Amino acid sequence: MTIANMAAEAPIVSVPFEIERVRADFPVLRQEVHGKPLVYLDNAATMQKPRQVTEAIDHYYRWDNANIHRAVHQLSERATQAYEAARNKVQHFINAAQREEIVFVRGTTEAINLVAQSFGRSRLQAGDEILLSHMEHHSNIVPWQLLCEQTGAVLKVVPIDDSGELLLDEYERYLSPRTRLVAMVHASNVLGTINPAQKIIELAHARGIPVLLDGAQTVPHMPVDVQELGCDFYVFSAHKMVGPTGIGALYGRREWLEAMPPYQGGGDMILSVSFDKTLYSDLPYKFEAGTPHIAGAIGLGAAVDYLEALGMGNVAAYEQELLNYGIEILAQIPGLRFIGTAQEKVGVLSFVLEGVHPHDIGTILDHEGIAIRTGHHCAQPVMERFNIPATARASLAFYNTKAEIDVLAAGIKRVGELLG
């Protein structure tokens, strides 16, 4: 089935919320760029923030600013309550069984580094294998390479097909007696491919192999239930889900986190310290050394509130309708070729235009007020797989509209007229 046929056969879904009311929550969307109304289509890089999130952060700094877990005064107690309330919100958002299974980190990258250095370094030996896919972001490659250099373990990479789908038969073949961990992206930031996570986990667990999923591109765009998935670790960033930068979460099954040594040492992760011995705090605090990003966690909690008010099922349905429309409209542009045509996708439209470098596409579109991403998207192995240096990528969010996709299509046609 071609991608155009996929769009034609997709069911029509009505808009599940008032789009103009939603857009009013995002002041940044009301500006002009180069004299043109902003069309923001770089959501896979970072999403814009609703006023509810910025107001929550502002309220903390105006009224509750204090360090947490350490003092008995009123401000510290309010700050601690808000910080821990955010942990509860994240727990319920991804349906973790216990709040102790949610560790606040700087983002997806730090969460993966934490698992690599704590879980991996204490368990892997020379010759052990870590299984990745060919569609990984650099953040799910480099931490494992560092671990391999430290332990003598080796990376194994499962190939993908020309549509950007994981080759499940090859994946099963790559699962070996030496495989100690599977670490894969849930949805690709370049291709949009949604991997069959439950099947990946089922096949790994049948062999006693734990699984980490990179959920940076799924948590903002579809319901995620870590208990239903059955994954061992799940990681994501707040800034890709309308929250602030510098904060994210690691979900880990309690039995794994209990068995893992601390990732970093310092204040707030200890029960007692002497020059002879240190006793570490219970979960999740033994992984949160030093003063955390308190305002960031509170902002993440506000982002969760915002998304839950919309309903993640509604978000997924609306973005799927936008994606189908984008595929239909952009497929009509002469010389445009999609990179990533999997059957199951989040709202990512990566493409190349015959005879035009993606950077030139991005520059010309910027002057039309359209913000997209161009380059390798921190996924150079994906570029090598498709034998291209870069792509142009328009990535969608629930506050985008079909009218904005029309503006994008008109802009790409203008690029073709100028440079094609």
Side-chain angles (χ1 to χ4, degrees):
M1 180 184 290
T2 66
I3 202 161
N5 287 336
M6 288 164 52
E9 295 182 6
I12 301 301
V13 181
S14 59
V15 178
F17 38 73
E18 295 180 39
I19 187 64
E20 290 306 320
R21 179 185 60 78
V22 168
R23 288 178 64 84
D25 289 333
F26 294 81
V28 71
L29 299 178
R30 297 199 290 269
Q31 66 179 293
E32 291 188 348
V33 173
H34 299 301
K36 307 286 180 61
L38 171 65
V39 175
Y40 185 79
L41 297 170
D42 194 16
N43 297 288
T46 196
M47 286 183 71
Q48 299 300 339
K49 322 306 177 193
R51 59 179 175 78
Q52 291 86 344
V53 168
T54 56
E55 287 172 0
I57 295 169
D58 180 72
H59 179 89
Y60 163 73
Y61 279 125
R62 283 177 180 269
W63 304 107
D64 298 334
N65 179 48
N67 214 328
I68 58 171
H69 299 153
R70 293 180 173 90
V72 296
H73 60 77
Q74 183 68 54
L75 265 61
S76 178
E77 289 189 3
R78 290 207 304 259
T80 300
Q81 288 173 2
Y83 181 81
E84 294 301 336
R87 195 188 310 276
N88 294 341
K89 292 174 183 178
V90 172
Q91 175 203 347
H92 293 299
F93 189 57
I94 62 171
N95 195 31
Q98 304 173 40
R99 68 187 309 280
E100 292 81 6
E101 294 177 325
I102 304 299
V103 178
F104 286 132
V105 290
R106 285 186 295 159
T108 302
T109 298
E110 185 176 49
I112 296 172
N113 275 277
L114 190 162
V115 176
Q117 289 302 309
S118 179
F119 175 90
R121 197 162 183 180
S122 63
R123 291 172 176 273
L124 269 66
Q125 300 177 347
D128 288 342
E129 297 171 357
I130 305 162
L131 198 53
L132 313 179
S133 80
H134 211 115
M135 67 179 86
E136 302 302 326
H137 188 283
H138 295 166
S139 65
N140 199 32
I141 299 174
V142 181
W144 306 114
Q145 289 175 328
L146 291 170
L147 179 63
C148 287
E149 291 173 3
Q150 294 160 346
T151 64
V154 294
L155 291 185
K156 296 289 184 179
V157 181
V158 182
I160 58 178
D161 66 17
D162 290 341
S163 72
E165 292 187 352
L166 186 77
L167 294 172
L168 263 179
D169 290 345
E170 289 294 300
Y171 168 69
E172 190 167 8
R173 190 174 67 80
Y174 271 70
L175 292 167
S176 83
R178 298 307 303 266
T179 307
R180 295 292 177 265
L181 181 73
V182 172
M184 288 199 181
V185 69
H186 195 173
S188 165
N189 69 311
V190 179
L191 308 170
T193 305
I194 301 174
N195 274 325
Q198 285 185 300
K199 189 65 176 177
I200 288 170
I201 294 164
E202 174 189 324
L203 290 170
H205 282 184
R207 295 160 176 80
I209 303 166
V211 177
L212 177 148
L213 290 178
D214 171 358
Q217 300 296 336
T218 41
V219 164
H221 303 295
M222 55 190 276
V224 170
D225 184 328
V226 293
Q227 292 190 76
E228 184 177 350
L229 286 170
C231 57
D232 300 274
F233 301 101
Y234 201 93
V235 300
F236 55 96
S237 300
H239 74 96
K240 295 182 188 292
M241 51 181 288
V242 307
T245 55
I247 187 76
L250 160 67
Y251 158 79
R253 286 171 55 189
R254 183 163 190 147
E255 55 265 42
W256 288 125
L257 295 179
E258 292 277 15
M260 290 161 53
Y263 167 56
Q264 296 175 324
D268 213 29
M269 52 77 72
I270 54 88
L271 289 175
S272 67
V273 175
S274 73
F275 285 113
D276 296 323
K277 186 176 183 179
T278 293
L279 297 178
Y280 305 124
S281 290
D282 295 329
L283 293 176
Y285 308 111
K286 75 173 183 179
F287 293 112
E288 296 181 2
T291 297
H293 188 3
I294 303 167
I298 293 169
L300 169 55
V304 168
D305 287 341
Y306 191 86
L307 291 173
E308 287 195 324
L310 292 177
M312 290 310 297
N314 292 333
V315 168
Y318 179 62
E319 291 184 3
Q320 190 63 50
E321 183 172 353
L322 283 183
L323 174 65
N324 293 337
Y325 184 73
I327 291 170
E328 178 184 358
I329 297 300
L330 268 58
Q332 299 171 21
I333 298 175
L336 185 145
R337 176 166 63 93
F338 287 112
I339 304 298
T341 55
Q343 293 277 356
E344 300 290 333
K345 286 182 55 142
V346 293
V348 171
L349 294 160
S350 276
F351 61 91
V352 293
L353 195 59
E354 187 176 357
V356 185
H357 194 283
H359 288 177
D360 293 330
I361 299 173
T363 299
I364 293 175
L365 290 182
D366 176 56
H367 283 269
E368 298 294 323
I370 306 165
I372 65 165
R373 178 76 174 267
T374 60
H376 55 62
H377 314 295
C378 296
Q380 288 178 306
V382 176
M383 300 300 118
E384 294 171 3
R385 168 61 180 79
F386 288 92
N387 195 29
I388 50 177
T391 75
R393 182 189 70 186
S395 49
L396 308 171
F398 57 82
Y399 46 65
N400 290 128
T401 66
K402 290 182 180 178
E404 290 182 316
I405 293 175
D406 290 339
V407 173
L408 171 67
I412 298 171
K413 289 176 183 174
R414 177 165 171 76
V415 172
E417 292 167 359
L418 290 172
L419 302 177

